[in-house]
Amino acid sequence: MTEGMVGIFQEIVTLFAIVAVGYGAKKARFMNDEFDRMLSKLVINLALPGMILGSVLTAGALPTAAEIWLCLGISCASTLVMFAVAYGFTLLLRIPDGHRGVYRFMLCFGNVGFIGYPVLTAIFGPDALVYAAVFNLPFNFFVFTVGAWFLTQDTDGDVRVQTTWRTFVTPVMISCVAAVVLTLLGIHHAPILGDALSTLGSITTPAALLIIGSSLANLPVRDLVGGPRLWVCAVFRLLVMPAIIWAVFHSFIDGGLMFAVAIVLSGMPVATNGTMLCYQYGGNSRVMAQGTFVTTVLALASIPILATFVSAVI
């Protein structure tokens, strides 16, 4: 476990290093707001679909059909609980209009890939990753539909995106549906196509981190860490949300690795693609970048607490 936690620490430091590069690139004028928007569009429409499909087409093995359906069900149910909690949270804390969508996004969608996978490996070993891959299929669908809709309800300046159902019929949503279908059909090993898609998708994480750093460079240094509401949201995202997921479902689901994966993934820092989606759908990129930064910093302390909690209750 100790060696695993060291690995997690290294992953988070790596994340901060790339964010710092993006911050410096904006200050040095290698990046600007228009470049950030275009890079976000490239990643969302090309790299992310490649990453989603590649994760299925390069998988060495999949769970049984019964396990897949159960995992998908737990994933969808826990996400719906997080939606309800997020709405209650924003009302309770009186989050102002124009910021509610981004706070709801931060509470519902975590960094399940770049940080989530190493955390699961450190706590449970590599056997957890096959469940995580299936668990994240509904996550990817929800983040680019409901999550995007959350952000369209906010304003970044005076801009509010007008949406129809066509707004959400995007390459990434189509790839999510295709990934679920491929998984249910047991199609998971296509070496050349899978490797090509995974290579294309590999630009997603560094590009997202560069965009976060560039967005933070627009803020005065004193504003990087946000205000009290943001910190309350961060603690809720990292520690309270996993406890809620356990409390709601532990009476209905037998304790086991699959349920443990659901709890751990519900306590990850804010998803790095949130800032890119803000550029795409008009959400408040400033608050999103702050939330991503703060939750990732706090994850250095929250992940060991989360690991102890899961070990005690599962």
Side-chain angles (χ1 to χ4, degrees), residues 15-261:
L15 185 153
F16 283 129
I18 303 175
V19 169
V21 171
Y23 186 95
K26 173 63 75 65
K27 293 296 186 182
R29 299 184 180 179
F30 295 137
M31 299 176 71
N32 56 36
D33 290 344
E34 182 60 24
F35 178 84
D36 293 347
R37 291 188 185 93
M38 295 305 296
L39 182 58
S40 297
K41 188 176 293 187
L42 174 71
V43 171
I44 288 172
N45 290 299
L46 291 177
L48 266 170
M51 182 183 72
I52 292 166
L53 289 172
S55 67
V56 175
L57 295 177
T58 58
L62 293 174
T64 65
E67 289 177 319
I68 289 173
W69 280 111
L70 179 58
C71 195
L72 292 174
I74 294 173
S75 178
C76 291
S78 60
T79 302
L80 292 176
V81 169
M82 287 192 281
F83 289 162
V85 171
Y87 267 86
F89 179 92
T90 53
L91 294 176
L92 184 64
L93 262 68
R94 298 180 180 179
I95 304 297
D97 189 24
H99 289 182
R100 290 173 189 164
V102 73
Y103 272 87
R104 288 166 182 164
F105 184 100
M106 290 191 294
L107 285 167
C108 294
F109 300 109
N111 190 334
V112 296
F114 189 77
I115 295 179
Y117 285 177
V119 168
L120 290 172
T121 303
I123 299 174
F124 306 114
D127 290 344
L129 296 184
V130 66
Y131 293 112
V134 176
F135 192 94
N136 287 338
L137 293 175
F139 169 88
N140 287 324
F141 178 81
F142 283 125
V143 75
F144 293 104
T145 51
V146 179
W149 181 79
F150 283 161
L151 299 179
T152 65
Q153 306 309 297
D154 281 356
T155 55
D156 197 2
D158 296 322
V159 177
R160 184 186 290 270
V161 174
Q162 300 299 316
T163 60
T164 67
W165 65 270
R166 291 184 180 87
T167 305
F168 305 107
V169 181
T170 61
V172 73
M173 194 191 80
I174 294 170
S175 68
C176 291
V177 174
V180 172
V181 172
L182 290 170
T183 300
L184 293 176
L185 293 176
I187 301 171
H188 62 89
H189 189 61
I192 296 176
L193 179 60
D195 290 343
L197 290 169
S198 292
T199 300
L200 175 62
S202 66
I203 71 172
T204 299
T205 296
L209 297 174
L210 287 172
I211 292 167
I212 291 168
S214 180
S215 298
L216 290 171
N218 293 329
L219 306 176
V221 174
R222 66 180 180 276
D223 291 340
L224 291 179
V225 297
R229 283 192 180 102
L230 187 70
W231 280 75
V232 173
C233 177
V235 173
F236 209 90
R237 159 81 248 176
L238 297 170
L239 294 175
V240 179
M241 194 67 83
I244 291 174
I245 296 300
W246 173 81
V248 170
F249 293 107
H250 81 279
S251 297
F252 308 101
I253 301 173
D254 292 335
L257 183 57
M258 191 183 299
F259 187 34
V261 167

Side-chain angles (χ1 to χ4, degrees), residues 239-293:
L239 294 175
V240 179
M241 194 67 83
I244 291 174
I245 296 300
W246 173 81
V248 170
F249 293 107
H250 81 279
S251 297
F252 308 101
I253 301 173
D254 292 335
L257 183 57
M258 191 183 299
F259 187 34
V261 167
I263 295 172
V264 170
L265 291 182
S266 68
M268 291 299 98
V270 174
T272 54
N273 54 28
T275 304
M276 294 189 299
L277 287 170
C278 284
Y279 282 116
Q280 181 92 351
Y281 294 105
N284 196 303
S285 58
R286 167 180 172 170
V287 175
M288 185 71 78
Q290 288 174 323
T292 305
F293 178 76

